[in-house]
Amino acid sequence: MATAELPEPVGIKPLEIDSHSIYLRWAILSSHGLNTEQLKSLVFEFKTTDGKLRAECNENNNLHEYKARLYGLSSDTKYRFQLRSKLETKSGDVIYSKWSNRIEIETGPDELVIISNEKELDIASLKHRLKNYINENRKLKLQIEQLQSRLDDKSTPKGHWTWDVKKIVAWIIRIQDGLLKEYKKSLLKNIKSEGITGKDLCLINESNLKDWGITNFKHRKVLMHYIQQLTENDEKPLYGYNPQLAKMLTTSGLENEEEKEECAEVPPDTQQQQEEKDDDDDDAADDDETPD
């Protein structure tokens, strides 16, 4: 996870607060060199300062001012929210802005409302149905995005498949805020010597990590966990080892070598003499068996 010069959300202001939701507005003051396509791809991540609630949105119709409604809040409760932007690069890395200043919001209490007028009942019923349709629409849109993401994963190469040695090592030393930085030199040297690319990461095990120079047991466990997460949907490359074929080839090779060694141990003259001796022994045996 890297924090880079992404636009930091500012001017966060609640436009509307009720018992279970808040309607927020925020802005970014500068594009920080991002083009229009990148600005449209920005995702905004929300969290409460206690870390219990997290959510994100990426519907960017306006490239400088943004609005969103946060649902699922408890009534009559104080919340402290922060907001940041994030962007996935073409190489598959995810970069983030700094977290915004904290904003404190208190939701309203639940209210008991009684409606008896027929016209007001119809309006309230329509509002309730509309609210349900809006929530259902959001859920469906989220499901569509998730399905599209799965299709994209299957139809297009994963970002880390294009990684060379430098990108692999750059990713490793960013894990847990630089936990593995001390191994940078040995990682560059050993991964390069083995010709590892991002597409090979799904084949890596803890023994490989030890060969790469990661001597600390806990550090190997941490890196292995992140590699498994990164490659959980990868298909393994088709350059595996066939043990049966290898055994057949090895056995066949040994048999041929043994035959060659046996032939090499007996000179031609000695071999002919041995055959003549065997013939004489056979004749002698026939004479012994002839009755008087």
Side-chain angles (χ1 to χ4, degrees):
M1 182 177 71
T3 301
E5 289 299 319
L6 280 185
E8 181 182 342
V10 295
I12 306 169
K13 182 179 180 181
L15 301 178
E16 184 181 311
I17 304 174
D18 60 29
S19 57
H20 296 285
S21 71
I22 56 172
Y23 185 30
L24 293 177
R25 181 182 67 193
W26 68 95
I28 56 175
L29 298 180
S30 169
S31 64
H32 287 255
L34 300 180
N35 58 37
T36 302
E37 182 183 352
Q38 290 172 321
L39 286 171
K40 288 182 177 179
S41 300
L42 280 178
V43 174
F44 292 96
E45 185 177 359
F46 297 80
K47 73 165 185 175
T48 52
T49 54
D50 60 9
K52 292 181 179 179
L53 297 178
R54 291 185 90 104
E56 59 184 39
C57 69
N58 62 347
E59 295 182 14
N60 303 334
N61 297 321
N62 188 321
L63 299 184
H64 295 285
E65 185 178 81
Y66 305 87
K67 296 177 182 178
R69 183 177 286 276
L70 280 63
Y71 287 93
L73 306 179
S74 299
S75 61
D76 205 15
T77 304
K78 286 184 179 180
Y79 290 95
R80 294 180 179 88
F81 282 100
Q82 285 181 292
L83 173 61
R84 69 177 176 182
S85 59
K86 73 176 184 178
L87 177 70
E88 183 173 355
T89 65
K90 290 183 178 180
S91 64
D93 296 328
V94 179
I95 55 178
Y96 299 81
S97 74
K98 295 178 181 178
W99 285 106
S100 68
N101 292 331
R102 188 172 60 188
I103 177 173
E104 194 168 301
I105 297 167
E106 185 172 359
T107 55
D110 283 325
E111 295 181 3
L112 178 63
V113 179
I114 300 175
I115 299 174
S116 58
N117 182 278
E118 187 174 347
K119 187 175 180 179
E120 290 181 354
L121 283 170
D122 289 339
I123 293 172
S125 176
L126 288 172
K127 284 183 177 179
H128 180 71
R129 287 164 63 186
L130 178 60
K131 186 176 180 180
N132 287 339
Y133 288 147
I134 290 172
N135 290 334
E136 188 64 27
N137 183 49
R138 286 195 178 93
K139 291 178 183 177
L140 290 173
K141 286 179 73 174
L142 180 60
Q143 289 174 5
I144 290 171
E145 289 173 4
Q146 291 172 343
L147 289 171
Q148 186 61 52
S149 177
R150 291 178 188 176
L151 287 173
D152 291 342
D153 285 344
K154 291 181 179 180
S155 60
T156 59
K158 296 174 177 61
H160 64 272
W161 283 13
T162 63
W163 290 358
D164 57 12
V165 174
K166 289 183 179 179
K167 287 184 179 178
I168 293 173
V169 175
W171 173 73
I172 290 173
I173 63 175
R174 286 201 304 269
I175 289 173
Q176 292 194 3
D177 296 324
L179 176 70
L180 307 171
K181 271 186 178 180
E182 63 184 278
Y183 303 107
K184 182 176 180 179
K185 288 185 179 179
S186 62
L187 287 169
L188 285 168
K189 178 183 176 182
N190 295 319
I191 295 176
K192 184 177 180 180
S193 69
E194 293 184 8
I196 300 294
T197 67
K199 201 169 184 178
D200 303 315
L201 289 175
C202 61
L203 301 172
I204 298 303
N205 55 42
E206 284 193 47
S207 177
N208 300 130
L209 302 186
K210 196 170 185 178
D211 293 338
W212 291 358
I214 300 178
T215 53
N216 185 287
F217 173 78
K218 291 181 180 178
H219 290 176
R220 289 198 299 272
K221 288 292 184 183
V222 169
L223 179 53
M224 199 66 239
H225 170 73
Y226 277 88
I227 290 175
Q228 288 170 348
Q229 279 193 327
L230 180 70
T231 63
E232 62 181 348
N233 296 318
D234 286 13
E235 293 183 8
K236 292 190 176 181
L238 298 176
Y239 35 75
Y241 169 70
N242 188 327
Q244 288 186 327
L245 179 60
K247 185 176 181 180
M248 289 171 59
L249 292 172
T250 305
T251 305
S252 174
L254 286 172
E255 290 174 350
N256 292 337
E257 289 297 325
E258 288 172 358
E259 290 175 1
K260 289 178 183 177
E261 289 175 3
E262 288 176 359
C263 293
E265 288 173 358
V266 183
D269 294 342
T270 306
Q271 187 173 1
Q272 184 176 358
Q273 293 172 2
Q274 183 64 39
E275 289 174 354
E276 291 175 355
K277 183 177 180 303
D278 291 341
D279 291 340
D280 292 341
D281 291 342
D282 290 340
D283 292 340
D286 290 341
D287 290 341
D288 292 340
E289 291 175 0
T290 303
D292 294 336

